[in-house]
Amino acid sequence: MRRLATGLLVLMAVVFVAARLLQPKWSYLSFVSAFAEAAMVGALADWFAVTALFRAPLGLPIPHTAIIPRNKERIGESLANFLENNFITQEIIRDELRTIDFAGAAAQWLARSENSAAVARQIMKGVPALLRVVEDEDIQHFIQGRISSALEGVKFAPICAEVLTIMAARNHHQELFSQLIEMAAGTLDHNKSYIRWRIHEASPRWLPKTIDDKLYQRLLDALESTLAEMRDEDSEWRLRFEHATNAFIEKLRTSPEYEAKIDSLVREVLAHPMFRDYVMHVWLEIKERLVADAASKDSRMRARLEQAFRNVGADLLRDAKVQSKINQGIRLLATEVIVERRKMIADLVARVIRKWDAETVSRKLELHVGKDLQYIRINGTLVGGLVGLGLHVISLAL
């Protein structure tokens, strides 16, 4: 395009010279000469204007030329400011994201067996690497240190109190009481002969056996009667157990003595070598099974993950309401994240342009808009010629 515009300027120069030389012989060539002369003026003026944007014309230090290289930083800041305030806004980002069905696209993708299988395979491929990272000695020391630091400020007694409160609110403690009663009744039933034998062994030799049997029967009846009474939901035994549970919960919450004892017990258990050895043994066994399963062609974990992802995708496809809520959440989150960081994005644009050298900036902009600028030169040549022709006609008329 630059060669075309320059060639048109050269053509007008040739036409101008030829018309001037032949004008004495053919007077009408004055119109051609006026057109060509004005066309050259328009072409040269527009060439100067276009060139002055990107460099100094002919390398001359003319004021207000090489506008883009000299104002590179200001152009970058203006462009960044324009981008920040006209593109990265709540309204524009929200409108652009409104047409995207994030949840539906993800659900359709996951619902395909080949995709859910690919996700499951990738996850299982990462299991051995993750386990190797966890086994690293430095990482283990770091994790143990963080766990120890976290446990230092933990009060176990209030935690136990909250757990027991939740259990009591759901009546689980009474269910536990009932289970204990049934365990006691079963133990009693399975050990009747042993109880009879113990009574007989503890009785004097001279005491008749019938008295032993009566003592045994009375003891058994008393125990069974007490257990039957305990089974009653309104029994005094249950009421006492209720009061004892509430009192124990209150002591866990308020008693420094209980708190110190429980904290000491928990920390003693956690620090005990036997407990640590047991945890390590369990961990090694779990790790071996995970690694073996991950390497197996018929991995059960991979199959379960694949099925889980596929089910999630299928269920999500059927639930338009959940899709709508997920999409809304993603849009809100994405909008907030992008808009909150629009200053950062704009600064990135300004920093990148600031790092470019002046020649790079001029070259990039000229490559993007240079074609249209060369059309300005071409139009300037033609329009200038027509204006010159018009002025020549007017001067002759005057």
Side-chain angles (χ1 to χ4, degrees), residues 130-350:
L130 179 62
L131 293 175
R132 284 195 296 271
V133 169
V134 174
E135 282 185 339
D136 184 84
E137 185 176 351
D138 293 333
I139 294 178
Q140 284 185 354
H141 286 317
F142 176 79
I143 294 174
Q144 291 174 0
R146 299 289 72 75
I147 293 175
S148 299
S149 299
L151 290 177
E152 283 180 2
V154 175
K155 302 297 183 183
F156 294 100
I159 295 175
C160 294
E162 292 302 321
V163 172
L164 291 176
T165 301
I166 294 172
M167 292 179 62
R170 298 179 180 178
N171 217 34
H172 291 324
H173 64 306
Q174 291 294 349
E175 294 177 8
L176 175 62
F177 187 73
S178 298
Q179 291 293 328
L180 292 174
I181 293 171
E182 296 305 322
M183 288 175 60
T187 302
L188 180 63
D189 186 60
H190 286 88
N191 291 277
K192 288 181 179 180
S193 57
Y194 176 74
I195 296 171
R196 182 193 293 270
W197 176 78
R198 289 295 298 170
I199 291 174
H200 178 69
E201 285 295 314
S203 298
R205 295 293 181 184
W206 50 267
L207 193 68
K209 190 175 181 181
T210 54
I211 295 177
D212 288 350
D213 291 339
K214 288 182 179 180
L215 180 61
Y216 159 75
Q217 193 60 46
R218 284 189 178 184
L219 177 62
L220 191 63
D221 291 343
L223 291 173
E224 290 178 345
S225 175
T226 302
L227 291 174
E229 183 181 343
M230 288 180 173
R231 289 190 179 95
D232 189 359
E233 293 184 0
D234 298 325
S235 68
E236 185 179 352
W237 293 94
R238 287 187 180 274
L239 185 60
R240 290 178 182 175
F241 184 71
E242 181 81 26
H243 291 326
T245 302
N246 293 334
F248 182 63
I249 292 174
E250 186 62 26
K251 286 182 178 179
L252 286 175
R253 281 204 182 104
T254 60
S255 173
E257 183 181 353
Y258 270 62
E259 182 177 316
K261 287 182 178 179
I262 292 179
D263 284 354
S264 175
L265 177 63
V266 172
R267 297 182 196 286
E268 184 178 345
V269 170
L270 293 177
H272 199 281
M274 186 179 295
F275 176 78
R276 292 190 174 184
D277 291 343
Y278 176 75
V279 171
M280 183 58 66
H281 174 74
V282 172
W283 162 246
L284 290 175
E285 186 174 347
I286 292 174
K287 186 199 72 171
E288 289 176 2
R289 291 186 179 183
L290 287 174
V291 172
D293 187 80
S296 173
K297 293 183 178 179
D298 301 322
S299 171
R300 294 168 59 187
M301 189 180 303
R302 184 171 64 244
R304 290 178 181 176
L305 282 173
E306 179 183 345
Q307 185 64 41
F309 285 126
R310 190 163 55 246
N311 290 342
V312 168
D315 293 343
L316 189 56
L317 276 177
R318 290 191 293 267
D319 199 327
K321 187 175 181 181
V322 173
Q323 285 187 46
S324 176
K325 290 186 176 181
I326 291 176
N327 284 332
Q328 184 178 2
I330 293 175
R331 289 176 193 132
L332 288 174
L333 178 62
T335 301
E336 290 298 326
V337 169
I338 293 173
V339 173
E340 283 181 3
R341 286 158 179 77
R342 64 179 182 175
K343 181 66 177 174
M344 187 187 304
I345 298 171
D347 289 343
L348 173 64
V349 174

Side-chain angles (χ1 to χ4, degrees), residues 365-386:
L365 291 177
E366 190 172 8
L367 286 174
H368 280 85
V369 299
K371 186 175 181 180
D372 293 326
L373 294 177
Q374 299 309 314
Y375 274 117
I376 292 176
R377 291 179 58 190
I378 295 170
N379 292 336
T381 304
L382 298 177
V383 172
L386 293 174

